[in-house]
Amino acid sequence: NGGENNQQPPPRVYGCVIGVQRGRTVEIFNSFELIYDPSTRSLDRSFLEKKQELYKKVFPHFYVLGWYSTGSDAQESDMHFHKALMDINESPLYVLLNPAINPAQKDLPVTIYESGM
């Protein structure tokens, strides 16, 4: 690449996390990617509803607990995504997965944010 060092960060990936919540105990069992257009800040609702319906048929006790994105930090634009899911879960979790590799880090590069009621 000619030694150029103007790499753009990779595009962010968004999705739903599903599982079970009992009181303050949360178990995340699976996830699925969502279709989100950052230029229009719109979420493909029909895709989300279809995936949710399919999961309910196979795993009737699993619910959409919240959502995830990739990145190193939460961004202001994430609130649009967060609010878009509040009609499914009034207090969604936000799981931030950092895809950057840090060999010195022993823990998984995951941060979980909880919205207050």
Side-chain angles (χ1 to χ4, degrees):
N1 76 22
E4 294 175 25
N5 198 8
N6 60 353
Q7 288 184 330
Q8 283 192 282
R12 294 180 81 193
V13 177
Y14 296 89
C16 276
V17 291
I18 58 173
V20 178
Q21 181 169 2
R22 290 179 210 89
R24 301 211 23 95
T25 302
V26 174
E27 293 180 86
I28 297 173
F29 289 105
N30 211 337
S31 64
F32 56 87
E33 191 172 342
L34 290 174
I35 300 171
Y36 180 71
D37 184 347
S39 62
T40 60
R41 295 180 176 164
S42 62
L43 177 63
D44 186 332
R45 296 297 293 204
S46 61
F47 179 79
L48 167 59
E49 288 163 9
K50 185 70 176 165
K51 291 290 276 190
Q52 196 177 9
E53 187 181 309
L54 291 171
Y55 265 97
K56 275 286 179 207
K57 287 180 180 175
V58 181
F59 304 106
H61 302 304
F62 288 6
Y63 293 93
V64 171
L65 299 174
W67 63 287
Y68 70 84
S69 75
T70 57
S72 56
D73 293 302
Q75 297 180 359
E76 195 173 323
S77 59
D78 291 340
M79 281 309 293
H80 295 284
F81 202 96
H82 194 77
K83 288 178 180 170
L85 289 178
M86 289 177 81
D87 60 331
I88 295 171
N89 183 327
E90 66 185 30
S91 186
L93 295 174
Y94 171 31
V95 180
L96 179 63
L97 308 160
N98 188 344
I101 296 171
N102 178 353
Q105 187 174 6
K106 299 284 186 243
D107 296 328
L108 287 173
V110 174
T111 306
I112 299 177
Y113 299 92
E114 155 183 52
S115 48
M117 298 248 254

